[in-house]
Amino acid sequence: MSVAWHRTEPREVRPFFETAKAENALDDSGICLFAKGDTSRDTSFDLDEIDFQKLEPIIHAVLVDPTQWMPEGLTARDLELVLIAKNSFLKRSEIVARSILAEPIPTYFPIGSELLAKLGGGRNVQFTLALCLATDRPPTPGSPFVPGHWLARKTFLLRSRTLPALFDLQTRTDEAWKAAGYPEKTFFAVDYAGGIAGEMDDGSSVATVYIHIDAHNGMVNSPIGAPLQPILASEIILSIVTASKSEWKDLDEFVPSSPLETLSRQLGDAEPLTLDTLKKLANDPSRLRAVLQDRLSVVRGIK
Amino acid sequence: MPYPILSKAEARSYLVVEEGADKPPVPIARLADGGPDLDWTSIAEGIAAALLALADKHMTDKGKVDGSDFEAAASEEIHERMPSHPALADPEFWIWLAVTHCEEIVDRRYAGSQNAKNFGIGGAGENLLYRLWLRAEIAYDASAKDRYALSRFGDIDFWRSHIFRQGYADARGFARALLEFQFPAQAQRKPKLKILEIRALAKHLKRARSNLMFEVMSEARAVEFIESEWGRLALTSG
């Protein structure tokens, strides 16, 4: 008799089974993104351009009492708490702070504007708080032995809120709007090109969104941009979904890696939106608008 | 303050033209906001002039283009001329630079095998100008007599496969340690490991990265680590 093995779920297994109790020691750590903002324990943040311009991150390190997790054979003198900031596109990472656990450790780690600038202004930056071995140790099965072997860590990722596979943004002057057959002071228009439900070529997008250059610059340079950007994004995506629905209303499932599937993941909450849910929403623009406003945090921008 | 950008779609509509159709005009840059105000046109023109001079020296029209010598020299030139600025973290800035000022350079570098992806319209990391800059940026050692020494070693495949595409190279000290290991000064910078060997080592280091914060290692400690890992790998592979 043969047994067929099926993978049910992937799970990361770390080699340091002697220090397993320490793995959650930093789970309650958080990040505050803006001055006078709240600290969040979330690990991933999608931010608009407006947000990056007022970014003043502070990492709040919360470490469970070491007596509850300190592995046998290790002491506070052997471990250090390290905060690393990284931008993978620039291939640049910086140690923001490091403290041996046996010494007093700061609770709050502000990230200065100079460091943020070195890391591209905060776009697509990761901040990793890690409890690491500080010194070399003789190799022992199940225990860390090289400086930098981590026992616990938590990473906060700041991403630009763009949907590169969905639309491309271009600005238009008064004259350009007129030449395109629109009133001079049109705020924005969506030109859906097709292909949302299928595979995309690298570098293409399914729509071009034209926005008045004065409005674009106003949104970037003034406080009105904060509430307006997510509202605009909601309206743009609504236009694309409703303009495209004839292409996907009869599909049984998403084409893998299609822009439509990507959109369903980005608009989902704990789970991606199903195709059936998207079909229902496409037929109910008011409810679709509500879902978009919720997912894109419109109300937070207005508050 | 603004810096120029071009999107992938804008670049693509210019670069990818149907056979027989007229080439459209060079797209007009849009502006993104961030960092100090700089004369990007002058900076780009300076970079283009320097790289064209190197292209004339290293890439003639005859025979197969060998980009290795060109890229080794060009990386230092572009790095010296490029200011430190948040624009460098924006893939659309690099697309603007490649398309509006360095199109001839990219075309000559890939003569006979041209592909729009070298302008960054596919994966952002494939943009030639970005890769040239990044090579020097990673190798740069401000405290060394020859600050760009490490950028001159290694062929294109080495840099692409074992540095640019690897997460462990986000820790620059570790990336430099790997360069020092593979091109040791005491061996006149000749490659230490053969192609299959360095591939195996890179795979091993990639796995080690999942449990090790390479950033906390000094460069000297990183060299020791790489040497010991190679020692273990060489033993087990017989």
Side-chain angles (χ1 to χ4, degrees), chain B:
Chain B
M1 298 307 280
Y3 62 85
I5 57 172
L6 279 180
S7 69
K8 289 182 181 182
E10 287 163 327
R12 187 180 178 83
S13 63
Y14 168 70
L15 294 166
V16 182
V17 180
E18 277 180 26
E19 211 169 306
D22 289 337
K23 191 155 183 180
V26 177
I28 297 170
R30 286 175 294 114
L31 296 173
D33 207 37
D37 196 13
L38 295 176
D39 184 350
W40 288 108
T41 302
S42 295
I43 291 167
E45 284 171 352
I47 288 169
L51 297 191
L52 275 171
L54 287 174
D56 288 340
K57 184 177 170 189
H58 294 285
M59 300 190 300
T60 63
D61 291 326
K62 301 183 183 118
K64 185 172 179 274
V65 171
D66 180 358
S68 277
D69 289 345
F70 167 76
E71 292 199 14
S75 67
E76 181 177 341
E77 291 290 332
I78 186 172
H79 192 266
E80 280 191 327
R81 287 166 172 73
M82 190 63 81
S84 180
H85 192 280
L88 306 191
D90 190 338
E92 294 190 334
F93 165 77
W94 291 102
I95 292 175
W96 168 81
L97 179 64
V99 170
T100 63
H101 286 84
C102 299
E103 186 181 354
E104 183 185 344
I105 293 154
V106 180
D107 283 346
R108 284 175 68 177
R109 167 64 187 86
Y110 292 100
S113 60
Q114 277 151 359
N115 191 321
K117 75 176 185 192
N118 296 309
F119 290 86
I121 69 167
E126 297 303 317
N127 183 311
L128 173 64
L129 281 303
Y130 159 79
R131 280 190 282 114
L132 292 174
W133 171 84
L134 187 65
R135 176 171 173 156
E137 172 74 358
I138 288 172
Y140 183 79
D141 182 354
S143 65
K145 198 170 154 194
D146 182 354
R147 292 168 301 168
Y148 291 102
L150 284 178
S151 71
R152 296 191 200 101
F153 309 115
D155 63 17
I156 298 156
D157 282 339
F158 174 87
W159 278 91
R160 214 173 199 147
S161 301
H162 308 314
I163 302 286
F164 296 150
R165 290 179 180 166
Q166 298 300 338
Y168 56 63
D170 291 349
R172 287 190 183 173
F174 193 86
R176 282 196 293 272
L178 183 59
L179 285 162
E180 288 285 0
F181 168 82
Q182 175 61 358
F183 305 101
Q186 56 270 38
Q188 291 82 49
R189 300 293 191 181
K190 296 225 179 340
K192 179 172 177 148
L193 303 188
K194 300 189 190 63
I195 291 178
L196 287 180
E197 290 173 333
I198 190 69
R199 258 186 219 160
L201 178 60
K203 214 165 153 181
H204 186 76
L205 294 177
K206 187 174 168 177
R207 278 199 293 265
R209 171 77 165 148
S210 62
N211 289 303
L212 196 44
M213 311 290 293
F214 288 147
E215 287 85 351
V216 308
M217 286 184 177
S218 65
E219 230 169 279
R221 183 65 186 85
V223 172
E224 264 179 50
F225 175 79
I226 294 168
E227 281 172 353
S228 76
E229 291 303 293
W230 171 245
R232 290 188 329 148
L233 203 57
L235 268 177
T236 54
S237 56

Side-chain angles (χ1 to χ4, degrees), chain A residues 81 95 112 147 165 221:
Chain A
L81 186 69
I95 296 181
N221 295 321

Side-chain angles (χ1 to χ4, degrees), chain A:
Chain A
M1 184 181 85
S2 66
V3 175
W5 289 92
H6 303 278
R7 191 174 88 146
T8 50
E9 67 169 81
R11 205 172 273 193
E12 196 177 298
V13 177
R14 297 199 67 226
F16 307 136
F17 46 81
E18 294 290 348
T19 63
K21 273 199 299 184
E23 271 187 38
N24 301 117
L26 289 169
D27 281 3
D28 286 339
S29 299
I31 184 170
C32 172
L33 293 175
F34 310 108
K36 296 181 189 164
D38 297 326
T39 297
S40 169
R41 288 190 291 178
D42 290 347
T43 54
S44 181
F45 302 85
D46 289 335
L47 305 179
D48 298 310
E49 264 320 300
I50 297 293
D51 296 322
F52 286 114
Q53 284 169 32
K54 53 186 189 193
L55 201 57
E56 290 182 30
I58 301 175
I59 310 298
H60 179 204
V62 176
L63 183 65
V64 173
D65 182 355
T67 58
Q68 292 186 34
W69 52 261
M70 185 64 71
E72 208 173 300
L74 286 175
T75 69
R77 258 184 260 289
D78 299 316
L79 302 175
E80 61 179 344
L81 186 69
V82 180
L83 176 60
I84 292 165
K86 179 174 90 164
N87 182 309
S88 290
F89 181 71
L90 290 174
K91 287 219 128 12
R92 176 179 281 158
S93 52
E94 303 270 343
I95 296 181
V96 179
R98 65 197 297 179
S99 301
I100 294 288
L101 229 56
E103 291 161 12
I105 294 181
T107 313
Y108 292 95
F109 299 93
I111 309 295
S113 54
E114 207 178 296
L115 174 61
L116 273 184
K118 272 169 96 171
L119 296 172
R123 290 159 197 82
N124 303 313
V125 161
Q126 286 185 27
F127 298 107
T128 298
L129 204 50
L131 196 60
C132 296
L133 193 63
T135 55
D136 281 281
R137 296 177 78 237
T140 315
S143 283
F145 56 94
V146 176
H149 269 152
W150 60 269
L151 284 69
R153 71 178 181 185
K154 188 164 183 178
T155 296
F156 304 98
L157 171 61
L158 309 187
R159 290 189 299 207
S160 293
R161 196 205 310 272
T162 53
L163 297 167
L166 206 59
F167 63 85
D168 180 51
L169 196 65
Q170 292 192 24
T171 53
R172 268 184 175 157
T173 58
D174 286 357
E175 294 74 25
W177 278 117
K178 222 169 139 187
Y182 285 84
E184 276 181 1
K185 297 299 180 191
T186 301
F187 174 23
F188 77 95
V190 178
D191 181 9
Y192 175 67
I196 195 173
E199 285 179 15
M200 290 295 297
D201 292 336
D202 271 352
S204 18
S205 54
V206 302
T208 303
V209 176
Y210 300 95
I211 180 169
H212 199 290
I213 190 166
D214 293 343
H216 177 265
N217 292 340
M219 284 167 62
V220 169
N221 295 321
S222 80
I224 200 173
L228 206 44
Q229 276 208 8
I231 294 173
L232 181 61
S234 304
E235 292 303 311
I236 289 168
I237 298 170
L238 179 80
S239 299
I240 292 172
V241 169
T242 49
S244 68
K245 70 180 177 187
S246 61
E247 294 177 22
W248 45 274
K249 66 180 177 58
D250 297 322
L251 291 180
D252 294 323
E253 55 186 23
F254 290 118
V255 170
S257 303
S258 62
L260 191 67
E261 191 202 25
T262 304
L263 185 64
S264 77
R265 276 188 276 113
Q266 286 166 331
L267 296 184
D269 202 350
E271 298 289 327
L273 288 185
T274 64
L275 184 56
D276 277 343
T277 304
L278 259 182
K279 286 177 185 176
K280 286 182 188 138
L281 288 172
N283 289 327
D284 186 351
S286 177
R287 195 167 294 277
L288 173 57
R289 180 179 281 111
V291 168
L292 290 165
Q293 289 169 354
D294 175 69
R295 297 289 186 264
L296 297 176
S297 305
V298 166
V299 171
R300 177 171 70 94
I302 296 171
K303 257 171 38 176

